[in-house]
Amino acid sequence: MTLSEMRRLLESRQLLLTKSLGQNFLHDGNVLRRITTAAALQAGDRVLEIGPGLGPLTEHLLDAGVPVLAVEKDQRLYEILQERFAGHPRLTLLHADALDWLQNEPRDWTGWKLVANLPYSVGSPLLVELALAERPPERMVVTLQWEVIQRLTALPDTADYGVLTALVGLQFESRGAFKISRDCFHPAPDVESACATLVRRPTPLLPSDRITAYARVVKLAFSQRRKMLRKLLRSEWPEPVLDAALAATGIAPTARAETISIPRLAALTDHLVGTPLPTDTGRLSAHDPGIH
Ligand code: SAM
């Protein structure tokens, strides 16, 4: 879909774009091909696209020969998509808020790949929701603000390494990112953008019933960046349990969360959850509600 086709379609419908829904559409064929290539689509893959908009990426994904499930929140765009792709045998269109839908209908994402130019205002929660799923997708190729992509791909001991890095990184490894010029979008967004490829770790760092506890540890540990991890976790664990877990995982009692690798944060969670609390208060079990 070229820029002039996009403009014509929007004009013919007198459709005013909604900034709060992050409606910046990709029209650059080279970028769309690069995103599709990064998805490494193969027979048997299924693709989830969140926010198809007018369908420029959807078109490329369908051309790759895989089934696509596309979830669009804007009723007007959903109707355009229905017309544009009417009767396409491999496209399923869903009119929904993708975040509500993901939260309310957890499913097995094994065999799926997320390929999406995400709505920037809800990009991080959408990504975390899928990244922490009990059975997450195989790969996530996501276009987002450059600032968020930097956090997704950050290494320990850098300013960008934080909650988002650690939550998504539990089950995914970054395979790099490329920047996308503002001119490739219509209308041009206010911020720089990039596309990252995240691939599911071949060996999970934690059993799935400890993911919720991991999220709790990470959120607490990064809640005050300048504070020592031990001090922050003391609100949830008795000191002897905490000190034993830190010693077992080789984490210095004076360490701050931003210096600790994701495998080590996972190992720490494993020790903390695996050690019964002296009074068995059950303050942090893997099934703790309200952690997400
Ligand atoms: N994929 C298209 C493209 O590259 O041209 C559009 C991407 S645009 C950045 C984001 C799209 O997500 C818009 O179509 C917007 O309406 C849609 N959107 C915004 N919030 C959404 C949500 N919560 N659930 C599903 N779609 C959403």
Side-chain angles (χ1 to χ4, degrees), residues 30-51:
N30 288 331
V31 171
L32 290 161
R33 273 188 290 279
R34 207 166 162 191
I35 293 173
T36 312
T37 303
L41 296 171
Q42 298 165 1
D45 284 346
R46 284 175 292 173
V47 169
L48 170 66
E49 185 189 5
I50 293 177

Side-chain angles (χ1 to χ4, degrees), residues 195-209:
C195 174
T197 300
L198 305 163
V199 176
R200 200 176 69 192
R201 289 182 184 273
T203 312
L205 295 176
L206 277 178
S208 59
D209 63 356

Side-chain angles (χ1 to χ4, degrees), residues 243-285:
D243 288 338
L246 290 172
T249 50
I251 299 173
T254 53
R256 283 178 283 115
E258 65 193 29
T259 64
I260 302 166
S261 70
I262 292 167
R264 217 161 249 199
L265 287 168
L268 178 66
T269 304
D270 216 20
H271 276 275
L272 289 173
V273 177
T275 313
L277 296 175
T279 51
D280 194 22
T281 59
R283 269 179 301 180
L284 190 92
S285 85

Side-chain angles (χ1 to χ4, degrees), residues 6 21-26 32 49-57 71-74 77 96-99 117-120 122 126:
M6 216 170 243
L21 290 179
Q23 293 177 342
N24 303 93
F25 303 133
L26 262 173
L32 290 161
E49 185 189 5
I50 293 177
L54 295 171
L57 180 59
V71 187
E72 174 57 57
K73 178 173 178 171
D74 188 325
L77 298 176
D97 179 311
L99 192 55
N117 173 17
L118 290 170
Y120 290 1
V122 282
L126 281 168

